Amino acid sequence: MKVQLRHNPASTVARCFLSGGEPMRVESGAMVAHSAGVTLQAKAEGGILAGLKRSVLSGESFFVSTFTAPPQGGWVDVAPALPGDMLNLQITQDRPFFISRGGWIANSHGVQVESKWGGFANLFGGEGGFGLRAHGDGEIVVGVFGAIDVIDLQPGEPITIDTGHVVAYDLAMNFTIRRAVSGRSIQSLKSGEGFVFDFVGPGRVLLQTRNPGAFLSWASTGASSS
């Protein structure tokens, strides 16, 4: 699978080119268009239990769509639900990635994605918790709200990132999740911040410049006050 991005960074669409007979997995509802002869099969990838884990725990659809190119090859266009950028990420056997809730859009057949525990933040109202572990060999396409920032940390280099802005990160990297403000919860309320990741390199972190959870809260507040 080869990926070509267009209309970025505000309304990116990823065109995934497939060789003859090559399949790719796509988040349900993310397909925009495909070339003639491409076939579609939707099922609970890995069975009903895996589908439930992906849906309930990781925030993804119960069903996964598999598109397969005809003998002459073809393409599939995919896009996320929220306006923003996309990125194709190379996955290798020795470099699996954690993908946050809602970030996974599609992947090539050489990559496996499964529900993965990413931290305790969601138990306290944060945006962490379950997401997807992407491992294997191939490409994965992620979508973000806003623009993408890619941060490559050097060995021993630290960084602190709000949990709602983290899209993906190297699973081999050291990290912790904590309250943005230490001490009493009232201080967190005053600051307007919740939980943050403390990452330490080496490794790569993908960020989105807008926070979907914060936007949803703002939109619901505006709707209720109108």
Side-chain angles (χ1 to χ4, degrees):
M1 185 176 83
K2 297 184 182 301
V3 180
Q4 179 187 78
L5 302 177
R6 64 187 197 281
H7 306 310
N8 49 312
S11 302
T12 308
V13 174
R15 177 160 293 183
C16 304
F17 292 94
L18 303 173
S19 301
E22 181 181 4
M24 66 175 288
R25 296 178 181 88
V26 178
E27 166 72 339
S28 180
M31 189 275 291
V32 177
H34 63 73
S35 60
V38 173
T39 59
L40 165 63
Q41 182 182 30
K43 64 178 182 179
E45 189 73 20
I48 294 177
L49 181 58
L52 285 172
K53 287 175 61 180
R54 185 169 50 249
S55 176
V56 176
L57 302 180
S58 302
E60 308 295 339
S61 296
F62 179 83
F63 293 102
V64 173
S65 299
T66 298
F67 292 86
T68 304
Q72 68 272 24
W75 53 262
V76 179
D77 281 353
V78 294
L82 292 171
D85 210 348
M86 301 178 74
L87 180 75
N88 56 303
L89 186 64
Q90 183 68 36
I91 303 296
T92 59
Q93 291 284 357
D94 60 346
R95 197 179 187 186
F97 270 78
F98 180 84
I99 311 297
S100 297
R101 293 170 63 95
W104 172 74
I105 303 299
N107 63 267
S108 61
H109 70 281
V111 176
Q112 292 80 47
V113 293
E114 58 192 11
S115 296
K116 168 77 176 179
W117 175 246
F120 285 97
N122 71 326
L123 299 182
F124 305 98
E127 298 88 354
F130 282 94
L132 294 173
R133 177 178 181 264
H135 59 101
D137 282 297
E139 299 276 341
I140 186 168
V141 180
V142 297
V144 306
F145 186 26
I148 286 180
D149 268 339
V150 179
I151 299 179
D152 289 310
L153 298 175
Q154 299 303 309
E157 181 181 1
I159 191 172
T160 298
I161 306 169
D162 180 273
T163 55
H165 288 270
V166 174
V167 177
Y169 54 83
D170 274 316
L171 276 169
M173 194 162 23
N174 292 320
F175 70 90
T176 57
I177 299 176
R178 61 175 174 83
R179 289 187 181 276
V181 180
S182 59
R184 297 179 180 178
S185 299
I186 189 64
Q187 293 298 321
S188 293
L189 293 174
K190 288 180 179 179
S191 72
E193 302 298 332
F195 287 81
V196 296
F197 279 101
D198 288 323
F199 290 102
V200 179
R204 169 168 289 189
V205 187
L206 273 60
L207 282 68
Q208 55 192 355
T209 59
R210 298 293 182 266
N211 184 329
F215 174 75
L216 179 61
S217 177
W218 173 83
S220 60
T221 300
S224 61
S225 62
S226 60

